[in-house]
Structures are given as structure tokens and as C-alpha cells.
Amino acid sequence: MTCRELNDFLADYRSGELLPEVRSRFEAHLLRCATCAAYVRSYGETIRLARAAGDDLEQQLLPTEAPRELVDAILDSVGSAPPDADPTAPPRNPPRPRR
Ligand SMILES: [Zn+2]
């Protein structure tokens, strides 16, 4: 197995969907290729970090109590926002029928 093939199989390897035969070749390559071994380790680490970051993000998006400054800022921006419909805007041309 080449380094490129290993890279292609990595996602299946991580999800446990690799065929036993391919998996043994995959692991044999890891034993003799330090580059790929380090890559697989960092790949797993990246997923772990992404999941941890995702958990943090979820907590940030679902605050139990919104800070007072944030509420004020939102109310201010809503009050100063321009209306959606602009009466001076020209009407849109109707779509031409395709022939
Ligand atoms: Zn390799």
C-alpha cells in the first residue's frame, strides 16, 4: 500500500468499515511508515479537538441567560434597521418565458 492509498482509506479505517484484508495492509504500512503513522495520529487528534470545540460552540449558542449588553445591542440594531421594502425601488422585471 502506498501513502496515497493509505490516505484514501483513512476515513474508512477510522469508521471501522475497512475490509480485514485492506485493514491489515493499512496497519502494515503504518508500522513501517513514520509519516503515515504520525498523520493517522494527528487525524484522530483533529477529530477529537473538533468534537470538543463543537461541544463548546453548542454551549455558547445556547446560553441559559443572555447578557444584558447583548440584548440591548440587538434591540438597538433592530430599531435602527432600514425597512425591508423600499417604496422608491423600481419594480423587478418579470422573468421571461424560456422557449
Ligand atoms: Zn506512508
Side-chain angles (χ1 to χ4, degrees):
M1 181 178 286
T2 65
C3 294
R4 186 181 179 84
E5 284 176 318
L6 185 137
N7 189 52
D8 288 344
F9 286 129
L10 182 54
D12 285 343
Y13 176 76
R14 296 288 310 179
S15 60
E17 291 171 7
L18 221 52
L19 294 172
E21 178 199 331
V22 180
R23 185 187 174 95
S24 64
R25 282 162 57 203
F26 187 100
E27 289 172 341
H29 182 100
L30 283 184
L31 289 176
R32 60 186 168 83
C33 181
T35 306
C36 285
Y39 178 68
V40 170
R41 270 201 302 275
S42 70
Y43 184 86
E45 183 76 358
T46 303
I47 291 177
R48 196 183 62 76
L49 289 174
R51 284 188 182 147
D55 287 347
D56 286 350
L57 192 64
E58 204 168 325
Q59 285 173 5
Q60 288 172 21
L61 290 175
L62 299 171
T64 51
E65 194 175 346
R68 185 69 215 170
E69 306 88 66
L70 179 63
V71 176
D72 286 346
I74 292 173
L75 292 177
D76 281 352
S77 69
V78 169
S80 62
D84 285 335
D86 184 356
T88 62
R92 278 192 200 171
N93 291 330
R96 294 185 184 180
R98 295 186 123 223
R99 245 185 258 175

